[in-house]
Amino acid sequence: MWILRNLLFTICIALRCVTSAVGVIHVTGYVGSSCYNIGIKEKKYRIHDDKTARIFTTTISDLHSADAGKYWCGVTRTGKDIYTEVKLKLVRDSCCDTVTKVQSYEGYSESVSCPYESQYHNSLKYICRGNQPSTCLQQALITSDTKSNGRFTLDDDKVSGTFTVTINSLVKSDSGSYLCGVQRNSDLDVFSAVELEVKEWCCVKSTQIKGTVGHPLIFQCPYPPQHRDNRKFLCKGDHRNKCTDMVTSQSRFAIEDNGSSSSFSVTITKIQADDTGTYWCGSDSQWSHGNYTRIQLSVVFQQHTGNGASTVETPSQISDAGQYVVYAVPALLLVLICVLVLIVYKCKRQKIKGNEAVVNRNTSKTGGLEEVMGAAENGIYGNDEVVRYSEKQTSKSACNDYHDAGEDEPDYENCTQSEEIYCNEDFHKANRR
C-alpha cells in the first residue's frame, strides 16, 4: 500500500494482456500535494517497473490544476508499441460538503458514527483529524486493523454498514474537524466529515451533606421524569468518569426509587470515617449534562462530655489537634529549658560576684596592714608604742586566723608577751593618741 501523500497518480498495465490500445484508465488526484524523500524534493515523474508481476507504476508529484488531462503510457517492442490512454482528474484536497456536528463535555466519552456502502465491508476504515483527505490515512488516529489506540476505539458493524469511533475522557483540545475514511484501491478513498465541539464541564447540581460516625444517613437524588425506568446509581470518586459504584460494592449503601417524586433515596446504614468524600448520583449512565448530582459528604465524630452535652469534631479537626500537640509540646519544653538555664546562670553569677566581694574586702584589709607594717619597719613612726601596736595587730590577725581554723576556744597561751600588751593598756594608749 502506497502512502497517499506520495502516491498521487498510479497507472498499472498488465503487459501479458495488452497487444494494442485497451481503452481508457481514469485516475483522480489531489491538487497541491507534494512528494518528498529524505527531505529532498524528487522528480515530478517517476516510474517503477515490477518485472516479476509485469507491471510498471507511474507517480506524478506536486500536482497542479494544469496537470489534469490526457496521458499515454506505453511499452516499446519490435514492431508497433503498446499504448494505454490515461485521463487524470484533479480535485480539491478538502472535504466535505456535508458535515456532522457533535457536542460533548470534558471528561465524557463520545461516539462518532461513520456510514459506508455495502461494497466496502472488507475495506480498511480509519479516522483522522483535519479535513485533508490526501494525508488522512498517514495521520490516522485509529484504523479497523488496530481497533484500539489509547483513548480511541473502533468498532465495525458490517451488517448496518457503519463503523463507530469512540473517544474516551474528552478534553477541550479534542474539539475540531475529523474525517472518517474508507479505503478504495481503484479510486480515491471515501470520506465523511465530523465537527466535534467539547465544552467545559460546568453547571452540575451540587449539594453538601453531613453525617455522624456510627449513625445512619438518608439523602435524596432527583432525576428527570423521563428517566423513571432508567437504572439509578450512586458512585464515589473525585471525578465522575472514575468513580466506584457504592451500591454494588458496599452492603451499607442502598437505593430506593420513588417514581412519584422523580427522585430516589440513598441510605447509608452506619456512617464510617472513611465515607467522607465526593459522590455522584443520577439516572443517566452516559453522564448527560444536568442529569446527575454531585454530593460532598463530610463525616464528624460525636463525643459525650460529663454533663451530658456533646461536642462534635471532624476528622480534620482531630488531625489538626494532633498536629498542634506534636508541634507545641517540643516548643514548650524548649522554652522551659531556656528559663532553667537562665536561672542557673544568674545564681552562679551572683555567687561569683559574692566571692569576688569577699576577696576584695580581705585584700583591702591585708593591704592596710601591710602599709602599717612597712612604715614600722622603715622607722617612719618614732613612737615605740605605735610600732608595738603594729606588731600586736599582726599577732591579733594570726590569733583570729587560728580561731577561724575551727578551734572551739582560741589558745591564747601561745601568744607572745607583746601580744598581751597589745590586748591591754598599750592598745588603748595608742588609740587615744
Side-chain angles (χ1 to χ4, degrees), residues 310-325:
S310 62
T311 59
V312 178
E313 295 181 345
T314 64
S316 61
Q317 290 173 329
I318 294 176
S319 175
D320 292 343
Q323 293 179 357
Y324 173 79
V325 171

Side-chain angles (χ1 to χ4, degrees), residues 145-422:
D145 287 342
T146 57
K147 296 183 180 181
S148 179
N149 182 23
R151 295 185 297 122
F152 298 86
T153 57
L154 189 151
D155 179 55
D156 186 9
D157 186 355
K158 297 181 179 181
V159 176
S160 63
T162 301
F163 72 92
T164 303
V165 177
T166 302
I167 309 175
N168 298 309
S169 302
L170 287 170
V171 294
K172 290 194 67 175
S173 59
D174 290 328
S175 299
S177 301
Y178 292 79
L179 288 180
C180 298
V182 178
Q183 188 180 47
R184 295 193 298 178
N185 295 325
S186 61
D187 205 343
L188 293 179
D189 293 352
V190 180
F191 296 95
S192 58
V194 176
E195 189 72 25
L196 174 62
E197 180 183 6
V198 180
K199 295 183 178 181
E200 182 179 0
W201 177 67
C202 68
C203 310
V204 176
K205 297 186 295 292
S206 183
T207 183
Q208 295 183 351
I209 58 177
K210 182 181 294 186
T212 304
V213 171
H215 291 250
L217 177 65
I218 301 176
F219 57 89
Q220 300 294 319
C221 288
Y223 62 84
Q226 62 270 25
H227 289 178
R228 180 173 301 176
D229 297 329
N230 290 12
R231 175 185 174 272
K232 315 306 186 296
F233 67 88
L234 173 75
C235 65
K236 180 183 180 182
D238 293 335
H239 301 284
R240 63 201 178 283
N241 55 340
K242 291 182 180 180
C243 61
T244 303
D245 192 315
M246 301 304 294
V247 177
T248 58
S249 63
Q250 295 280 348
S251 59
R252 296 183 297 111
F253 291 76
I255 288 178
E256 183 178 356
D257 191 7
N258 185 359
S260 59
S261 62
S262 294
S263 67
F264 64 92
S265 61
V266 176
T267 301
I268 307 176
T269 56
K270 191 175 183 180
I271 292 290
Q272 297 179 359
D274 57 0
D275 289 335
T276 299
T278 303
Y279 293 79
W280 310 85
C281 65
S283 57
D284 185 0
S285 60
Q286 298 299 318
W287 297 97
S288 297
H289 185 64
N291 289 340
Y292 56 92
T293 302
R294 177 175 56 189
I295 300 170
Q296 192 66 41
L297 173 61
S298 59
V299 177
V300 298
F301 292 92
Q302 187 172 20
Q303 296 179 344
H304 295 279
T305 60
N307 56 6
S310 62
T311 59
V312 178
E313 295 181 345
T314 64
S316 61
Q317 290 173 329
I318 294 176
S319 175
D320 292 343
Q323 293 179 357
Y324 173 79
V325 171
V326 170
Y327 291 106
V329 170
L332 182 59
L333 290 176
L334 181 60
V335 172
L336 292 176
I337 292 173
C338 292
V339 172
L340 291 175
V341 170
L342 183 59
I343 292 173
V344 172
Y345 172 77
K346 287 184 176 181
C347 291
K348 289 187 175 182
R349 186 65 177 173
Q350 290 176 356
K351 184 175 181 181
I352 292 173
K353 288 183 178 180
N355 293 336
E356 290 177 352
V358 173
V359 172
N360 291 337
R361 288 195 297 270
N362 293 336
T363 302
S364 177
K365 291 180 180 179
T366 304
L369 182 59
E370 289 176 352
E371 181 180 357
V372 174
M373 292 297 296
E377 292 175 357
N378 295 329
I380 296 175
Y381 302 101
N383 195 327
D384 293 338
E385 293 179 357
V386 175
V387 174
R388 287 196 300 270
Y389 167 76
S390 300
E391 293 175 351
K392 300 327 181 267
Q393 183 66 31
T394 303
S395 177
K396 181 180 180 181
S397 176
C399 291
N400 289 339
D401 291 342
Y402 184 82
H403 177 71
D404 291 340
E407 295 292 337
D408 295 335
E409 294 181 358
D411 189 3
Y412 292 105
E413 295 178 357
N414 295 329
C415 295
T416 63
Q417 185 177 1
S418 60
E419 291 173 350
E420 293 176 358
I421 296 172
Y422 162 77

Side-chain angles (χ1 to χ4, degrees), residues 31-210:
V31 176
S33 298
S34 301
C35 176
Y36 294 90
N37 185 18
I38 319 178
I40 302 175
K41 188 173 182 180
E42 297 182 351
K43 296 180 179 180
K44 187 175 181 67
Y45 301 95
R46 292 185 296 116
I47 292 179
H48 174 72
D49 186 7
D50 185 353
K51 295 181 180 180
T52 302
R54 293 185 297 170
I55 296 174
F56 74 89
T57 302
T58 300
T59 302
I60 303 178
S61 304
D62 193 19
L63 292 174
H64 298 281
S65 57
D67 294 324
K70 183 185 296 187
Y71 291 81
W72 294 91
C73 61
V75 179
T76 59
R77 66 174 185 173
T78 302
K80 189 176 180 179
D81 294 343
I82 301 174
Y83 295 94
T84 300
E85 181 181 356
V86 178
K87 287 187 176 181
L88 172 61
K89 177 184 178 182
L90 297 180
V91 297
R92 185 168 53 93
D93 188 17
S94 63
C95 185
C96 298
D97 295 335
T98 302
V99 179
T100 302
K101 294 185 177 181
V102 178
Q103 289 185 345
S104 191
Y105 294 89
E106 288 181 307
Y108 289 11
S109 297
E110 194 61 48
S111 298
V112 177
S113 297
C114 306
Y116 58 86
E117 297 179 5
S118 58
Q119 63 266 34
Y120 304 121
H121 284 172
N122 298 322
S123 298
L124 181 72
K125 287 85 175 179
Y126 56 93
I127 189 171
C128 68
R129 295 200 65 165
N131 60 359
Q132 291 186 310
S134 62
T135 60
C136 188
L137 182 57
Q138 293 74 44
Q139 300 175 358
L141 299 169
I142 189 173
T143 69
S144 55
D145 287 342
T146 57
K147 296 183 180 181
S148 179
N149 182 23
R151 295 185 297 122
F152 298 86
T153 57
L154 189 151
D155 179 55
D156 186 9
D157 186 355
K158 297 181 179 181
V159 176
S160 63
T162 301
F163 72 92
T164 303
V165 177
T166 302
I167 309 175
N168 298 309
S169 302
L170 287 170
V171 294
K172 290 194 67 175
S173 59
D174 290 328
S175 299
S177 301
Y178 292 79
L179 288 180
C180 298
V182 178
Q183 188 180 47
R184 295 193 298 178
N185 295 325
S186 61
D187 205 343
L188 293 179
D189 293 352
V190 180
F191 296 95
S192 58
V194 176
E195 189 72 25
L196 174 62
E197 180 183 6
V198 180
K199 295 183 178 181
E200 182 179 0
W201 177 67
C202 68
C203 310
V204 176
K205 297 186 295 292
S206 183
T207 183
Q208 295 183 351
I209 58 177
K210 182 181 294 186

